[in-house]
Amino acid sequence: EEIGGKLEALRRAVALDPLTEALNRRSLEEALVREMRIADRYGNPLAVILCDLDRFKSINDRFGHQEGDCALRAFSRIVRGCLRSGDLFGRWGGAAFLVGAPVAAPGGAAVAERLRGALETVTRATPVPLTASFGVSVYVPGEPLEALVQRADEAMYRAKEGGRNRVESA
């Protein structure tokens, strides 16, 4: 039993981002590729949502990196609380996170809007209110992971350019 517990702790340490407890990028990419193969085989939909905390650098600059870390942990906790058990969630890098959800285009945008609204509502009364910009893309069978994420990234930047705290679809 002790060995099993240690193995599980090791698995978690290898798979999770230590700050946010979301999947780390490597684990997230592996899980997304598995989901893409399932989508190819069975024709299941798969949406990718790339989200980035708005003005995160200013949080670090104004309040310090410890408050920035608190913001990242809070964001991760809020998002995990909104997702279903079959959804993927991980830290893509910096203040960017990625969600993989087995839904078609309208469902992906709806998931992103639910996350956006939850973040806005939960942190409205906190010392550092958080918002995020979201970009949604839907997997095209046979498409490489890089292209899928790139389309979500472009949509996310459109959300930022459009005023932040928004959802845009590819």
Side-chain angles (χ1 to χ4, degrees), residues 32-150:
L32 282 169
V33 167
R34 279 193 304 274
E35 290 300 316
M36 291 163 66
R37 287 185 185 135
I38 291 169
D40 285 339
R41 184 175 304 133
Y42 300 108
N44 297 347
L46 176 63
V48 164
I49 304 164
L50 193 60
C51 36
D52 189 63
L53 285 173
D54 294 328
R55 297 183 174 92
F56 181 71
K57 184 180 179 322
S58 69
I59 293 172
N60 279 337
D61 290 348
R62 187 169 170 204
F63 301 103
H65 290 280
Q66 187 171 0
E67 190 64 36
D69 287 352
C70 286
L72 292 172
R73 283 192 295 269
F75 178 75
S76 179
R77 190 172 48 254
I78 291 165
V79 170
R80 283 195 319 265
C82 291
L83 296 177
R84 301 163 302 173
S85 63
D87 297 335
L88 299 171
F89 174 64
R91 188 169 179 195
W92 196 247
F97 293 80
L98 191 142
V99 173
V103 295
V111 169
E113 184 57 39
R114 188 172 70 239
L115 299 175
R116 190 205 63 73
L119 179 65
E120 185 177 54
T121 300
V122 169
T123 68
R124 185 174 289 140
T126 62
V128 183
L130 300 175
T131 63
S133 297
F134 297 81
V136 182
S137 63
V138 175
Y139 177 62
V140 176
E143 175 180 37
L145 176 61
E146 297 77 18
L148 175 63
V149 173
Q150 178 65 35

Side-chain angles (χ1 to χ4, degrees), residues 24-37:
N24 62 34
R25 184 165 175 159
R26 186 185 73 241
S27 296
L28 183 58
E29 286 178 342
E30 290 171 358
L32 282 169
V33 167
R34 279 193 304 274
E35 290 300 316
M36 291 163 66
R37 287 185 185 135

